[in-house]
Amino acid sequence: MGGMRTAGDLVARMEMSKNMKLNKAKEYVAKKLNVTPYDLSDVYMMRELRENLDIGVVTALPNASRGIQSKFKIEDLLDIKINCCENYRARMKR
């Protein structure tokens, strides 16, 4: 499972932010995405799902989210806080 090509970035984020073990993190992400844990490593299926959810893909797409926009959407989708999103919100309040 590798980064933004599949769901590796989402699973790794759950491992780090919620201190989950790998299998538990995969189950959590799969449940949030309404797919099976096996689907998380399917490049073609995840590409389509990432495009539909607008949570970032490897190659740039016109009018698609990227960078901090994608991270805000991932934050909402997985019900977690992401440090750079929190920092951005704090800076915007100044």
Side-chain angles (χ1 to χ4, degrees):
M1 195 177 323
M4 287 182 59
R5 291 194 183 279
T6 56
D9 63 318
L10 305 176
V11 172
R13 195 170 289 283
M14 295 313 300
E15 287 179 294
M16 291 182 283
S17 68
K18 298 287 186 179
N19 202 25
M20 291 180 171
K21 297 289 184 186
L22 179 61
N23 287 335
K24 187 76 171 170
K26 284 181 182 180
E27 289 171 14
Y28 182 85
V29 171
K31 182 178 177 185
K32 289 292 189 175
L33 298 177
N34 294 318
V35 297
T36 67
Y38 178 77
D39 292 334
L40 296 177
S41 60
D42 182 340
V43 176
Y44 300 106
M45 204 284 293
M46 285 306 301
R47 167 75 185 210
E48 187 175 321
L49 183 61
R50 290 182 80 99
E51 285 179 17
N52 291 340
L53 295 173
D54 199 21
I55 57 173
V57 292
V58 173
T59 55
L61 296 172
N63 301 318
S65 294
R66 57 182 193 236
I68 194 77
Q69 292 172 317
S70 296
K71 288 185 181 188
F72 276 117
K73 291 180 180 192
I74 290 168
E75 195 178 49
D76 291 337
L77 182 68
L78 297 180
D79 296 323
I80 59 172
K81 297 292 182 197
I82 299 175
N83 286 340
C84 65
C85 295
E86 292 295 308
N87 292 340
Y88 185 83
R89 285 186 196 97
R91 289 176 186 249
M92 293 308 293
K93 290 182 181 178
R94 292 184 186 172

